[in-house]
Amino acid sequence: MNHSAFRTPWPWLSALALALLGVFVLYPLLYIFTASFVGEGRSGWLQLLADRQSLSAIGNTLLLATVVTLFSTLIGVPLAYVSARYRFRGKLFITLLPLITLVIPEVVTAQTWLMILGNNGVITRFLKGYGIFIPSFYGWFGLITSMSFIYYTYVYIGTVAAIGKFDAQLEEAAQSLGTAPARSRIHVMLPVIRPAILASALLVFTMVIGNFAISTILGHNVRLLSVAIYQAAVAEGASNLTMQSTLASISVLIVMAVLFLNRRVIARGRYEIVQGRGARPQPLRGAQGVLVSGAAGIVVAISLLPLVTIAVGAFTVSRGPVMRWGEWTLDNMARVFITAPGPLVNSILYAGIATVISVAFSTLVSYLVVKKPNLMTPLIDYVSAIPLALSGTVLGVGLLASFNGGFLALTGTSTIIVLAYVIRRMPFGMRNGQAILHNIPNSIEEASISLGSPPFRTFLRVVLPMMLPAVASAAILTWTTTVSELSASLLVYSGGRETLPIQIFRLIDSGLMAYASAYGLVLVAVILVPVVVATTLFKVDLFASK
């Protein structure tokens, strides 16, 4: 880096960005790793070896992640294949799957499954009236069912995109040489799309490892890692960080190991999707069409079930935990907007501030990494991606431990909630920003500077307007995922600063499903309205860069 470079603002902004990432990302992560070895008493790793409950939580989590990943793949891959290759009745509804995943928070999904199949659920009570008893939805059955029908959409999205890009001429060439159609798909198409399936499946695996909302609501006697971290943090507070830091470290190491495995597997082979003529979807008629439409319809209907249940439950009369289905009231909604509007106000305020900060920071950092590289930008790029490997509970433990006192005491303030939101969702903005910046020629910016415009003014008036579609997409994705965030905010919030997901979680814990449904319905609306406005009025493509 020559001396003239320091006359521009970019090296100084790079140093500032690296300092902020060091304080708010690296410091909490290093803190929990260090505390796991040198906390109070024996090393946390020695305590872990003697703690059967913690070892059981790790084993259960790995088993659950493996089973859910398997079921999600078995649902998502066939659905993606028939969606990409065939036309059939009801296919349009499958395109709703990414949106369904985006707008229905996991805490709402867990709640609605309980309202349907819980001990006092609609179907449970209906079947009980006829002397039919179904297994309890708490435990393995509920965990595997609910998570599989949430996370299969990630496998579907990744696989359908890969099949759409696959050159059908390769498959046709194999068939012209005498290979049967089914065999050509297995030996020609499957190896090409396998990296996409593997990447999506490993994404599901890591999401199950970090899942907190469903794990804690439906887990019951099944001890899981994310819940164990939360319970260790709540039970021991910030005075003894050893065990919670050790469990948090285990969670991070598992996710890092999975990401490393993903890179190793892909690096061992040469995979390339040849951009060519995609296969034209063929119509399915007769028994085949009915069978495929029926199977796809069942999957989509189960995915939409939480949305329907939450809407009905929000207007249903209740007496404590007992839902009086068929009797209607507006009292539940009145509680959300009139009696106790605090969670709604807090959610909009905190998520709004976090979205603005996250998008502004990630846009600037993306510009530095792509357009103004220097000695610091590779490190900035690497550190800014670390939150992808952190679950919400791990991040919450790290923030609580790091900023409970000392040079920057944030515990008990609104700032730490906003900070948790910004750190967790910052990679969304980075990914979108860098993708669009690679497509903007440097010559445009150089022409502006050569005409006398200062570098920073050029960024604001030339580059930034060209980035606006990606910035808008990142802002919407950041908003939707931030406003539904539970695991990190549940650890760092304090009295009077409850958000909508926290309030729903507390009401579910109290068995007040009608009130929880009302808050859940409002939460879905808070998420859905900006998405609809962005995609219909401003034509923002939310999934273009995913």
Side-chain angles (χ1 to χ4, degrees):
M1 192 182 299
N2 55 44
H3 292 291
S4 61
F6 289 99
R7 297 172 186 169
T8 67
W10 312 124
W12 307 106
L13 288 172
S14 297
L16 177 61
L18 187 58
L20 291 173
L21 290 170
V23 172
F24 295 117
V25 177
L26 278 183
Y27 177 60
L29 186 61
L30 292 175
Y31 197 106
I32 59 174
F33 272 120
T34 306
S36 68
F37 287 99
V38 293
E40 296 181 358
R42 289 190 303 161
S43 164
W45 300 92
L46 294 177
Q47 293 184 44
L48 179 66
L49 292 175
D51 187 351
R52 290 187 176 182
Q53 288 191 332
S54 296
L55 293 175
S56 171
I58 296 169
N60 289 340
T61 301
L62 292 173
L63 178 61
L64 178 66
T66 303
V67 175
V68 170
T69 302
L70 178 63
F71 277 103
S72 299
T73 305
L74 291 176
I75 298 172
V77 172
L79 189 64
Y81 178 75
V82 298
S83 177
R85 286 299 181 89
Y86 299 106
R87 297 200 308 270
F88 49 88
R89 289 181 182 275
K91 182 179 174 180
L92 179 64
F93 290 104
I94 295 180
T95 60
L96 295 173
L97 289 176
L99 192 59
I100 292 171
T101 305
L102 191 64
V103 303
I104 304 180
E106 292 177 354
V107 64
V108 173
T109 303
Q111 175 203 346
T112 52
W113 278 110
L114 282 183
M115 293 171 69
I116 298 168
L117 292 171
N119 295 337
N120 198 34
V122 181
I123 294 178
T124 305
R125 293 178 62 185
F126 176 79
L127 294 176
K128 195 180 293 183
Y130 291 91
I132 302 172
F133 297 90
I134 59 175
S136 172
F137 202 69
Y138 291 99
W140 288 106
F141 177 48
L143 289 169
I144 293 172
T145 303
S146 56
M147 287 190 187
S148 296
F149 277 98
I150 292 174
Y151 294 138
Y152 82 89
T153 51
Y154 293 94
V155 179
Y156 165 79
I157 293 169
T159 307
V160 79
I163 294 176
K165 294 176 182 176
F166 176 72
D167 188 352
Q169 295 179 82
L170 298 176
E171 194 176 332
E172 292 169 1
Q175 293 176 19
S176 68
L177 294 174
T179 307
R183 190 179 176 85
S184 69
R185 288 170 194 132
I186 293 174
H187 291 283
V188 177
M189 183 176 71
L190 186 58
V192 177
I193 66 172
R194 190 164 56 198
I197 297 174
L198 179 63
S200 304
L202 291 179
L203 173 64
V204 171
F205 189 94
T206 58
M207 294 182 77
V208 176
I209 295 291
N211 181 282
F212 173 76
I214 297 174
S215 298
T216 192
I217 293 172
L218 298 180
H220 203 45
N221 291 326
V222 179
R223 190 168 174 81
L224 296 169
L225 185 56
S226 59
V227 182
I229 295 171
Y230 170 75
Q231 290 174 342
V234 172
E236 299 176 4
S239 60
N240 184 1
L241 295 170
T242 307
M243 203 59 201
Q244 54 184 289
S245 297
T246 306
L247 293 172
S249 301
I250 288 283
S251 178
V252 174
L253 290 175
I254 291 174
V255 174
M256 291 177 68
V258 171
L259 296 176
F260 176 76
L261 176 66
N262 182 27
R263 294 178 65 89
R264 288 281 298 176
V265 170
I266 293 177
R268 288 178 61 183
R270 296 187 58 189
Y271 304 99
E272 184 177 357
I273 292 181
V274 180
Q275 199 76 17
R277 178 174 61 81
R280 180 175 296 177
Q282 300 297 315
L284 277 179
R285 298 189 178 89
Q288 279 189 330
V290 172
L291 186 64
V292 171
S293 297
I298 290 173
V299 172
V300 174
I302 293 175
S303 302
L304 281 172
L305 204 54
L307 200 57
V308 176
T309 308
I310 206 80
V312 175
F315 297 99
T316 296
V317 174
S318 68
R319 294 288 182 271
V322 179
M323 302 286 289
R324 302 174 70 92
W325 298 104
E327 299 179 28
W328 308 102
T329 181
L330 291 174
D331 290 348
N332 303 327
M333 298 302 293
R335 179 187 173 98
V336 178
F337 292 104
I338 300 172
T339 309
L344 174 61
V345 175
N346 289 341
S347 282
I348 294 174
L349 181 64
Y350 299 156
I353 295 172
T355 299
V356 171
I357 294 174
S358 179
V359 171
F361 183 78
S362 58
T363 301
L364 178 60
V365 169
S366 298
Y367 179 74
L368 294 172
V369 170
V370 177
K371 295 295 184 182
K372 304 296 176 187
N374 54 52
L375 294 175
M376 293 174 280
T377 50
L379 189 55
I380 292 173
D381 192 25
Y382 179 78
V383 176
S384 62
I386 288 179
L388 290 172
L390 302 180
S391 66
T393 47
V394 172
L395 178 61
V397 168
L399 291 177
L400 273 181
S402 305
F403 304 114
N404 190 45
F407 73 100
L408 191 59
L410 298 177
T411 301
T413 67
S414 304
T415 305
I416 199 168
I417 300 175
V418 174
L419 184 60
Y421 286 167
V422 171
I423 294 173
R424 283 210 77 187
R425 308 310 180 192
M426 177 180 59
F428 290 168
M430 290 286 295
R431 190 171 178 178
N432 281 28
Q434 292 188 23
I436 191 72
L437 280 167
H438 282 296
N439 295 325
I440 299 177
N442 293 335
S443 56
I444 297 176
E445 187 179 354
E446 291 167 358
S448 173
I449 295 174
S450 67
L451 292 173
S453 177
F456 196 69
R457 185 184 297 172
T458 297
F459 168 72
L460 293 177
R461 296 188 176 182
V462 177
V463 179
L464 192 57
M466 299 175 72
M467 293 179 65
L468 278 183
V471 172
S473 175
I476 296 298
L477 287 173
T478 303
W479 167 266
T480 56
T481 51
T482 296
V483 81
S484 61
E485 206 282 335
L486 172 66
S487 50
S489 53
L490 189 63
L491 276 169
V492 301
Y493 89 100
S494 52
R497 297 186 175 85
E498 295 87 354
T499 60
L500 285 171
I502 293 173
Q503 185 70 356
I504 295 168
F505 179 80
R506 293 172 57 180
L507 289 168
I508 294 172
D509 194 44
S510 304
L512 302 175
M513 292 299 186
Y515 290 147
S517 298
Y519 280 104
L521 185 62
V522 172
L523 176 57
V524 172
V526 168
I527 295 171
L528 190 59
V529 168
V531 173
V532 172
V533 170
T535 54
T536 57
L537 294 183
F538 298 103
K539 308 299 180 188
V540 175
D541 187 355
L542 296 180
F543 305 102
S545 60
K546 289 186 75 174

